[in-house]
């Protein structure tokens, strides 16, 4: 059994991860509508990864005797006026998620919950990677996105993203 406050924070984070997946699917909807199927594909995979994150947290709670509860998933509320907007929104969102993971980590640290800290180590690393990916996408768009050929090539590059399940994540 883990501390009640920590369990509550992780349970809330399950919802936030599911929301992240929902948000990225909304990005994919936007790009599909813009005819940028590679961008749409990239965010569809990102949405799958977010669901994996939620499932990993859910499993951690269950394996530690916690009754997981679900809340409503908020409606994605971003509006886009240009094709770089979701990329910027994605970067901001990942920085926010990093702050949430850090908050849970801090709470676990404060009560010497080393097991949860170890569980969260994977997510700390993952957030570093996700922020970098989001930042790289913005840079690439700034460099190549204004030219039709460049945008075409970028779309092709993003279309090649392969989904890798996060099952190699934290040991439960
Ligand atoms: Fe689950 Fe994109 O952080």
């Amino acid at each position: 059994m883990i501390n009640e406050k920590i369990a509550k924070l992780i349970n809330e984070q399950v919802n936030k991860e599911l929301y992240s997946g929902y948000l990225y699917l909304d990005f994919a909807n936007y790009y599909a509508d813009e005819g940028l199927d590679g961008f749409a594909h990239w965010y569809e995979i990102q949405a799958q990864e977010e669901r994996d994150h939620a499932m990993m947290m859910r499993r951690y709670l269950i394996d530690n005797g916690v009754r997981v509860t679900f809340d409503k998933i908020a409606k994605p509320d971003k509006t886009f006026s240009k094709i770089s907007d979701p990329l910027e929104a994605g970067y901001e969102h990942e920085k926010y998620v990093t702050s949430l993971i850090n908050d849970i980590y801090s709470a676990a640290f404060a009560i010497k919950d080393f097991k949860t800290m170890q569980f969260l180590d994977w997510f700390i690393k993952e957030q570093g990677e996700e922020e970098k990916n989001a930042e790289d996408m913005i840079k690439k768009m700034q460099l190549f996105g204004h030219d039709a050929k460049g945008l075409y090539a970028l779309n092709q590059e993003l279309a090649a993203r392969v989904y890798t399940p996060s099952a190699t994540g934290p040991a439960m």
Side-chain angles (χ1 to χ4, degrees):
M1 192 69 180
I2 53 176
N3 172 276
E4 205 174 309
K5 182 185 167 195
I6 302 295
K8 183 168 180 287
L9 287 172
I10 297 174
N11 200 148
E12 285 168 4
Q13 190 61 30
V14 169
N15 182 275
K16 303 258 170 57
E17 299 291 335
L18 292 171
Y19 170 76
S20 297
Y22 209 31
L23 180 70
Y24 290 138
L25 265 187
D26 190 54
F27 289 14
N29 292 342
Y30 168 78
Y31 282 123
D33 191 51
E34 292 290 321
L36 289 166
D37 55 347
F39 284 73
H41 171 78
W42 199 94
Y43 278 111
E44 281 162 12
I45 289 183
Q46 192 57 35
Q48 282 179 285
E49 286 203 358
E50 298 302 348
R51 186 179 181 280
D52 287 350
H53 299 167
M55 291 306 105
M56 286 156 69
M57 290 177 182
R58 173 181 173 271
R59 176 50 53 191
Y60 179 72
L61 292 174
I62 290 171
D63 288 351
N64 283 282
V66 178
R67 167 71 165 94
V68 177
T69 56
F70 285 155
D71 208 337
K72 273 188 283 195
I73 300 170
K75 179 182 161 122
D77 61 351
K78 311 273 187 244
T79 52
F80 311 121
S81 56
K82 57 184 185 304
I83 56 173
S84 60
D85 284 353
L87 307 182
E88 302 279 354
Y91 184 39
E92 288 309 310
H93 184 69
E94 285 307 326
K95 285 193 283 188
Y96 167 64
V97 174
T98 297
S99 77
L100 295 174
I101 299 287
N102 287 348
D103 286 348
I104 306 173
Y105 200 100
S106 297
F109 180 73
I111 61 160
K112 295 188 168 62
D113 178 355
F114 300 115
K115 183 166 63 173
T116 296
M117 287 161 67
Q118 190 184 46
F119 170 72
L120 290 173
D121 279 343
W122 185 90
F123 288 92
I124 299 280
K125 185 164 177 281
E126 176 74 1
Q127 281 312 121
E129 287 171 13
E130 297 216 331
E131 281 191 34
K132 184 181 183 308
N133 287 342
E135 225 182 337
D136 285 351
M137 300 248 289
I138 292 170
K139 281 185 200 154
K140 284 182 183 179
M141 179 62 97
Q142 285 168 347
L143 281 169
F144 312 118
H146 301 294
D147 166 78
K149 279 187 190 155
L151 183 61
Y152 182 79
L154 191 51
N155 188 57
Q156 296 286 95
E157 181 187 320
L158 297 179
R161 183 177 185 186
V162 175
Y163 168 65
T164 312
S166 306
T168 51
M172 304 302 170

